[in-house]
Amino acid sequence: ARHDQAHVVGQPIRVETRSGDTPSDRKARQRIRPPQILLTTPESLSLLLSYPDSNLLFETLKTVVVDEIHAFAREKRGDLLSLSLARLQTLAPNLRRVGLSATISDPDAYRSWLAPHADIDAVRLVIGDPGAEPDLSILIPEGRVPWSGHSGRYAAKQVMELIEQHQTTLVFCNTRSLAELIFQDLWKVNDQVLPIGIHHGSLALEARRKVEGAMSDGRLRALVATASLDLGIDWGNVDLVCQMGAPKGSSRLLQRIGRANHRLDEPSKGMIVPGNRFEYLEAQAALDAVDANELDPEIFRPGTLDVLAQHILAIACAGPFVEAELLAEVRSAAPYAGLTDTVWRTVLEYIATGGYALRAYDKFRRLVEDSPGHWRITKPAVIAQHRLNAGIIVDNPMMDVRFKNGRMLGKVEEGFASTLTPGDHIFFAGLSLEILRFKDSD
């Protein structure tokens, strides 16, 4: 669901979203008057648990659904989510956990991650109807693929012809910069002036929502996108997906191709455009794996300690905690089931003092032990700092991109911006922009 608010038809049920894009006033209201269904992210859930009233907010929670569980469980975001689920289970002991995915090769591993202390046979596994077999192929324009390159830009004319032949096409690119270049290439050969758009994470929220709305209403014939749209999208009018460059695995390929003909009775149609002859072999291997029903291997690892430190601080922001109780709770999360007392104490001491390198500075003292095993936040400023800086996704320093009138267009990396001078031209948001001036963010 990509709308801020919605209602279940015929039922007095409110459905709302909560993410980094949600306005602060709506976030405050959600804590006072929570919706019946909240769509959120691991980071936003962690921040919700950092408030003193989190116990009241979640004590009546009935179910947590982890959609696209394969995208979280084996990553740092999965570590944070697993710790948050452990906390929720403490606040709501009868909580039910549900995981959903269409592209996992080892369901038992995910059942163990989702409910680590339950009997594996007691965790119900439901396997749905796989539906129609996907219709996948590799595009070879004029019978040849170049030796060099990695983008598939050479095939822009043929991809545009495919767009002309289908109702709606999603064109996936592996990077934001490639998405901008592919959009320009397609526009140059768009002889019929078909409406096409672009979508990636660096665009301003307004720009992303505008193109999502146009796509949902059927006003676009094609949309060039990155991984920002390869999960959770259900646009019924999409009848073709093009993957520019190597798909990087059979599971990822199936996930993206599954955006086409999002119905059980119709095959998902996908076209891979290899960037070079070596990527052709990779694409063929991915197709062979799909035909053999072989998905990418699932490799789980212990939880990372920086995520654990962040979670401990979030819990402390909600109120004082008892060390032994929190340690038991943390160990109930699958990634941290093997956490030793020594490592736990090291992480706790690091949060409390800043570690051996920073213990001399008072600003890095975040926790204090009032009595043996009983901890609390040192000062309110620590709470404010945590909520401003918490998160697992680490981005490079960014600079705003604005029109001359001040309207926000998106963000670019400072490293890239530092290579530009006034008068240079760049492609951004599907536009050719001239750099007028740089202004300090201060």
Side-chain angles (χ1 to χ4, degrees):
R2 292 185 174 266
H3 299 290
D4 291 326
Q5 300 183 56
H7 288 79
V8 177
V9 177
Q11 299 291 332
I13 297 175
R14 285 181 296 113
V15 183
E16 296 183 13
T17 61
R18 186 185 182 96
S19 67
D21 294 330
T22 305
S24 56
D25 60 334
R26 185 172 299 141
K27 289 182 178 180
R29 178 183 55 74
Q30 287 173 344
R31 288 173 46 219
I32 298 173
R33 185 171 174 263
Q36 283 78 14
I37 300 175
L38 181 65
L39 309 177
T40 189
T41 64
E43 294 79 15
S44 291
L45 175 58
S46 177
L47 285 173
L48 273 174
L49 290 170
S50 73
Y51 286 93
D53 57 359
S54 60
N55 59 331
L56 297 176
L57 180 64
F58 291 114
E59 65 181 359
T60 57
L61 184 63
K62 296 294 190 294
T63 304
V64 172
V65 178
V66 184
D67 193 17
E68 310 289 7
I69 191 173
H70 63 274
F72 296 106
R74 295 175 294 117
E75 310 295 337
K76 275 191 173 185
R77 300 184 76 197
D79 295 343
L80 183 64
L81 180 57
S82 185
L83 289 168
S84 295
L85 288 174
R87 184 61 173 176
L88 289 175
Q89 201 77 56
T90 298
L91 300 178
N94 295 321
L95 172 69
R96 180 177 65 165
R97 306 181 186 187
V98 178
L100 303 176
S101 177
T103 52
I104 57 175
S105 61
D106 187 357
D108 286 346
Y110 284 91
R111 286 199 285 178
S112 297
W113 180 89
L114 191 64
H117 294 282
D119 180 356
I120 190 67
D121 294 326
V123 182
R124 187 180 179 190
L125 175 63
V126 178
I127 301 177
D129 187 337
E133 291 292 327
D135 177 8
L136 301 176
S137 56
I138 301 175
L139 179 65
I140 306 179
E142 301 177 358
R144 65 178 298 274
V145 177
W147 283 102
S148 61
H150 63 276
S151 63
R153 295 180 63 189
Y154 65 91
K157 182 175 177 58
Q158 288 72 27
V159 172
M160 195 66 225
E161 291 173 354
L162 289 173
I163 292 172
E164 294 170 356
Q165 297 165 11
H166 292 81
Q167 181 181 358
T168 309
T169 303
L170 274 176
V171 181
F172 278 114
C173 302
N174 292 333
T175 65
R176 299 172 186 179
S177 59
L178 179 58
E180 294 283 355
L181 292 173
I182 292 296
F183 178 86
Q184 294 298 327
D185 292 339
L186 292 176
W187 192 253
K188 289 176 183 176
V189 295
N190 185 10
D191 298 333
Q192 298 184 22
V193 197
L194 300 178
I196 62 177
I198 184 170
H199 189 290
H200 56 72
S202 290
L203 298 180
L205 175 61
E206 179 185 358
R208 282 182 278 131
R209 286 186 173 172
K210 183 177 180 180
V211 76
E212 289 168 9
M215 194 69 172
S216 180
D217 295 339
R219 291 183 279 118
L220 291 181
R221 289 292 298 275
L223 180 59
V224 182
T226 61
S228 60
L229 286 184
D230 68 0
L231 296 176
I233 296 300
D234 186 9
W235 287 324
N237 55 344
V238 175
D239 54 353
L240 175 67
V241 169
C242 287
Q243 166 65 44
M244 307 301 293
K248 306 302 180 185
S250 58
S251 295
R252 187 178 189 184
L253 175 61
L254 280 177
Q255 191 68 48
R256 290 186 166 182
I257 299 304
R259 302 308 100 195
N261 291 331
H262 215 228
R263 293 177 292 274
L264 274 175
D265 57 339
E266 295 187 27
S268 299
K269 185 176 181 180
M271 184 74 71
I272 304 174
V273 184
N276 55 53
R277 297 194 180 193
F278 300 101
E279 284 195 352
Y280 171 83
L281 298 177
E282 182 178 343
Q284 187 60 58
L287 262 61
D288 292 344
V290 171
D291 289 340
N293 199 28
E294 295 179 0
L295 300 177
D296 298 333
E298 316 287 1
I299 302 174
F300 287 77
R301 45 136 187 85
T304 57
L305 300 184
D306 57 333
V307 175
L308 175 59
Q310 185 175 142
H311 176 73
I312 294 173
L313 191 57
I315 299 306
C317 289
F321 66 86
V322 177
E323 180 180 340
E325 294 176 356
L326 184 56
L327 175 57
E329 181 181 296
V330 166
R331 283 175 173 164
S332 71
Y336 298 93
L339 184 68
T340 66
D341 291 345
T342 301
V343 173
W344 162 264
R345 194 69 192 186
T346 299
V347 174
L348 196 59
E349 289 292 339
Y350 172 77
I351 305 171
T353 66
Y356 71 90
L358 302 172
R359 66 176 71 251
Y361 302 93
D362 184 65
K363 64 180 291 187
F364 294 103
R365 295 182 180 273
R366 298 180 177 91
L367 294 180
V368 62
E369 195 172 16
D370 286 331
S371 59
H374 291 73
W375 295 84
R376 64 170 174 82
I377 289 290
T378 55
K379 49 185 177 290
V382 172
I383 298 176
Q385 184 184 42
H386 171 77
R387 291 178 183 153
L388 283 173
N389 296 286
I392 300 303
I393 302 174
V394 180
D395 286 327
N396 293 323
M398 306 291 281
M399 292 187 68
D400 292 344
V401 178
R402 297 180 180 273
F403 286 113
K404 187 176 180 180
N405 63 8
R407 185 164 69 89
M408 182 74 169
L409 191 57
K411 296 177 179 290
V412 297
E413 288 83 359
E414 280 189 2
F416 170 70
S418 66
T419 66
L420 303 173
T421 59
D424 287 344
H425 289 77
I426 62 171
F427 292 129
F428 190 76
L431 303 172
S432 178
L433 305 177
E434 179 183 355
I435 305 299
L436 296 180
R437 63 190 176 96
F438 292 90
K439 182 180 179 182
D440 292 337
S441 58
D442 294 335

